[in-house]
Amino acid sequence: MEPNAAQSFFSRLWDDYSRITPQANAIKQLLHECGERFRNDHVAIRTFGMPGIDIEHLESFFTELGYVGTGEYQFETKKLFAKSYSHPSNELPRVFISELIMNKCSTKLNACVRTLIERLPLPLDAQSLLTQQALWPTVEYDVYQTLLKESEYAAWVAAFGIRANHFTVNADDLQGFKDLTELNNFLVEHGFALNHPESPVHGSPEELLEQSSTRADEILWSFENGEKRRIRSCYYEFCKRYTDPKSGKLYDGFIPESADKIFESTNVR
């Protein structure tokens, strides 16, 4: 894929993401009105650890684009595994892909997910899975509720499919905010709710990465049989990276403890 085609792919992801995340365009526009211009630090994608849609399948698309792995992460409590990737050109955003570890989940959850995936026209190439959202089958609201009792993550993926879960403002590009705390305060003043508002910044300069995020938007979403319910969709993240004194390079990975908290931006409770 040519560079322009890769940029077009990420633009498609943004268009789909911002369509179900009204706050993303609102925050982007607000920052632009303040004279800020910024890059997207990374895109996060969620999926189930099942053949044909798992990390191994999805990452093939990005490795063909030239992406290289930068880390692997375990989230024991949430039963998740994730991998991160960067592009050597530094012209494309980092990618973070996570998956639910199915053999650590209940028989009931596995049955619900398997029934859903059997309705997906597999095999599908990774790009189609990520960009052709109409292919993802609608789930019954009762099934969504059943999954929600065991895993917020599973319920989210069942409802929304394999897509960009969040984009991320590269706070290093911002000129008018000295740190994430100042940016967070600015967002709260303009009516945006933060994830973990009592302590929204995760990570530290010593860990070479700081992150914060908004609380996911609540939107009206279609379930099986035309039923519509308001559920949480996606959120916007903000991160600041620091130079690793050992390598002299900007830190390129993620901190599991911080990412664990960021996952909770979509939690219903």
Side-chain angles (χ1 to χ4, degrees):
M1 183 180 289
E2 295 298 320
N4 286 345
Q7 293 287 3
S8 177
F9 164 76
F10 283 106
S11 291
R12 287 185 65 182
L13 287 192
W14 169 266
D15 289 344
D16 174 69
Y17 157 80
S18 59
R19 180 178 61 82
I20 62 173
T21 316
Q23 62 174 275
N25 272 327
I27 292 173
K28 185 176 182 179
Q29 180 62 32
L30 179 62
L31 292 174
H32 280 183
E33 289 172 357
C34 294
E36 300 288 2
R37 296 295 182 269
F38 49 86
R39 293 163 294 168
N40 175 37
D41 181 85
H42 68 271
V43 176
I45 296 163
R46 294 181 176 185
T47 190
F48 293 116
M50 300 181 69
I53 63 170
D54 58 6
I55 287 178
E56 183 178 0
H57 184 69
L58 296 179
E59 75 177 356
S60 62
F61 170 72
F62 295 102
T63 55
E64 288 173 5
L65 288 180
Y67 276 83
V68 295
T70 55
E72 297 185 358
Y73 316 88
Q74 294 280 350
F75 304 91
E76 295 295 337
T77 302
K78 292 181 174 61
K79 302 173 184 177
L80 304 176
F81 172 68
K83 295 177 72 173
S84 59
Y85 312 83
S86 290
H87 198 275
S89 70
N90 294 320
E91 294 179 358
L92 297 173
R94 298 171 182 83
V95 174
F96 184 91
I97 310 176
S98 59
E99 66 182 16
L100 187 65
I101 305 172
M102 304 307 294
N103 62 14
K104 291 187 176 182
C105 298
S106 70
T107 300
K108 178 181 286 189
L109 184 146
N110 272 270
C112 289
V113 172
R114 193 175 301 109
T115 299
L116 181 66
I117 301 306
E118 285 173 352
R119 295 166 55 200
L120 193 63
L122 297 176
L124 285 171
D125 63 89
Q127 186 175 6
S128 296
L129 282 168
L130 291 165
T131 59
Q132 297 182 37
Q133 300 304 328
L135 295 175
W136 190 261
T138 53
V139 64
E140 293 181 3
Y141 184 67
D142 286 348
V143 172
Y144 170 82
Q145 290 284 76
T146 296
L147 295 173
L148 194 60
K149 292 176 183 176
E150 180 174 347
S151 168
E152 297 259 3
Y153 183 103
W156 190 95
V157 179
F160 291 103
I162 303 169
R163 68 199 318 149
N165 166 261
H166 68 264
F167 277 64
T168 310
V169 173
N170 185 332
D172 297 313
D173 291 340
L174 302 180
Q175 302 299 309
F177 303 91
K178 66 178 181 180
D179 54 28
L180 284 187
T181 296
E182 195 169 286
L183 173 61
N184 290 334
N185 291 339
F186 172 79
L187 294 172
V188 171
E189 289 170 4
H190 284 81
F192 296 99
L194 298 179
N195 178 40
H196 294 288
E198 69 288 349
S199 183
V201 178
H202 309 293
S204 66
E206 292 72 27
E207 294 172 290
L208 307 179
L209 178 66
E210 292 180 305
Q211 298 167 268
S212 65
S213 59
T214 59
R215 188 90 161 108
D217 270 319
E218 191 175 81
I219 65 170
L220 193 64
W221 194 247
S222 296
F223 288 87
E224 187 75 350
N225 301 318
E227 185 174 4
K228 293 183 180 293
R229 297 279 186 155
R230 295 194 70 83
I231 61 172
R232 293 200 178 276
S233 58
C234 305
Y235 56 94
Y236 213 1
E237 187 183 333
F238 318 94
C239 80
K240 181 174 178 59
R241 296 180 181 274
Y242 293 86
T243 299
D244 186 342
K246 295 179 181 178
S247 66
K249 297 180 179 179
L250 203 65
Y251 180 67
D252 208 28
F254 295 85
I255 302 169
E257 293 79 6
S258 298
D260 187 81
K261 297 299 183 184
I262 295 294
F263 276 123
E264 296 169 4
S265 300
T266 55
N267 282 8
V268 172
R269 293 173 288 275

